Amino acid sequence: MAADFDEAPPEVHHYESLAEVPWDIQIYWKQRYRIFSKYDEGVWLTDDAWFGVTPEPVADKIAEDIAATAPEGRVILVDAFAGAGGNTIAFAKTGKWKRIYAIEKNPAVLRCAKHNAQVYGVENKITWFEGDCFEILKNQLKDLAPYCVLFASPPWGGPGYRSDRVFDLHTMEPYPLAKLYDEYSAFTKHLALYLPRTSDLKQLAEVVEEDRKATVVHYCIEGASKAFSSDSE
Ligand SMILES: C[S@@+](CC[C@H](N)C(=O)[O-])C[C@H]1O[C@@H](n2cnc3c(N)ncnc32)[C@H](O)[C@@H]1O
């Protein structure tokens, strides 16, 4: 199916030259092919989505790692914060999952994710949900929980994401680590969180119950540190 290039909502853009790009996202636009290798095929983003999208090489590696470690019978991947589709597309590309469920509460950003999945030719593997992931997990997806692995790349807002030497996961906004961990653990024990590279690992260790195990992976692009992904089972 051809991507719907003609129907972008007003807050969605495909910038083709630096002159069109708002100053605060120019640094991201200059790295556009690292973020989406198919950028020139018409990738859509809202201006805010540029800040949160997982660069394609990192998304691909995370998808490969989660596919390799998923327990037998876990055939559905739920992406709780789909954003513009960076991780969702990478999960779909692995061919590992019977279905990807991707949740995003911002309708314009969700349009980007759907469109970008078309650009990458993986839209038929994904079921999209517009709304709040905590509600959707509890209400619409709860019966599927035994078959799911949950991935979440939450917003990293709040004080200090860029400036603090150690990122405080208790003050992460709008969802502190404890809320994410508690809500997601009630849904499934098989979950992976994508967190800032400077995250306080002691805080992470403290939320994981004693009888559970968490694995922390540090993802880098060409030697530059990007983020942690923490997996628990
Ligand atoms: C860091 S971005 C995700 C980026 C995504 N992994 C990607 O690669 O494009 C976080 C996203 O979560 C969405 N979001 C925030 N709260 C949400 C909620 N309660 N339920 C679903 N989506 C939410 C935001 O609109 C934002 O697009």
Side-chain angles (χ1 to χ4, degrees):
M1 189 202 298
D4 51 348
F5 291 95
D6 296 328
E7 297 168 36
E11 53 285 55
V12 168
H13 307 282
H14 174 79
Y15 294 122
E16 288 185 354
S17 71
L18 187 61
E20 298 170 63
V21 183
W23 67 269
D24 55 338
I25 52 177
Q26 289 189 354
I27 186 167
Y28 298 97
W29 186 81
K30 287 178 186 166
Q31 300 175 56
R32 60 198 177 285
Y33 300 119
R34 188 182 272 186
I35 295 174
F36 282 110
S37 62
K38 293 183 185 259
Y39 183 83
D40 282 352
E41 293 180 36
V43 163
W44 282 356
L45 288 158
T46 63
D47 288 352
D48 284 344
W50 282 95
F51 298 102
V53 63
T54 306
E56 191 169 318
V58 175
D60 284 345
K61 184 69 179 113
I62 291 172
E64 188 187 305
D65 290 349
I66 293 180
T69 54
E72 207 180 327
R74 299 273 161 172
V75 292
I76 296 169
L77 188 293
V78 180
D79 186 350
F81 297 103
N87 293 104
T88 308
I89 291 167
F91 290 128
K93 283 194 307 189
T94 63
K96 156 86 183 175
W97 309 98
K98 277 206 171 134
R99 201 80 202 145
I100 316 284
Y101 290 142
I103 308 169
E104 170 55 50
K105 75 167 188 189
N106 179 317
V109 178
L110 182 63
R111 283 290 303 281
C112 296
K114 290 180 180 176
H115 171 90
N116 297 337
Q118 288 184 328
V119 169
Y120 278 80
V122 293
E123 72 279 11
N124 61 357
K125 299 175 194 289
I126 305 164
T127 302
W128 305 96
F129 293 85
E130 181 183 315
D132 173 55
C133 61
F134 305 107
E135 291 303 317
I136 288 169
L137 292 174
K138 264 186 253 174
N139 299 321
Q140 285 165 268
L141 297 181
K142 71 172 187 313
D143 293 343
L144 293 172
Y147 310 103
C148 292
V149 170
L150 177 76
F151 172 80
S153 60
W156 296 345
Y161 155 49
R162 281 166 203 288
S163 55
D164 289 2
R165 208 172 52 82
V166 178
F167 180 76
D168 185 346
L169 295 165
H170 293 329
T171 59
M172 183 162 67
E173 289 175 5
Y175 313 115
L177 175 66
K179 174 179 171 69
L180 296 172
Y181 191 80
D182 290 350
E183 296 255 1
Y184 295 155
S185 295
F187 178 76
T188 178
K189 301 287 179 211
H190 299 283
L191 60 101
L193 296 175
Y194 184 65
L195 299 169
R197 61 178 179 260
T198 53
S199 294
D200 187 335
L201 294 184
K202 201 161 157 276
Q203 293 177 337
L204 194 58
E206 280 164 6
V207 294
V208 178
E209 301 92 322
E210 276 182 12
D211 58 337
R212 291 179 69 189
K213 190 179 87 180
T215 306
V216 174
V217 182
H218 190 180
Y219 289 93
C220 302
I221 301 182
E222 292 167 12
S225 169
K226 285 295 164 196
F228 281 132
S229 178
S230 164
D231 220 329
S232 111
E233 61 189 44

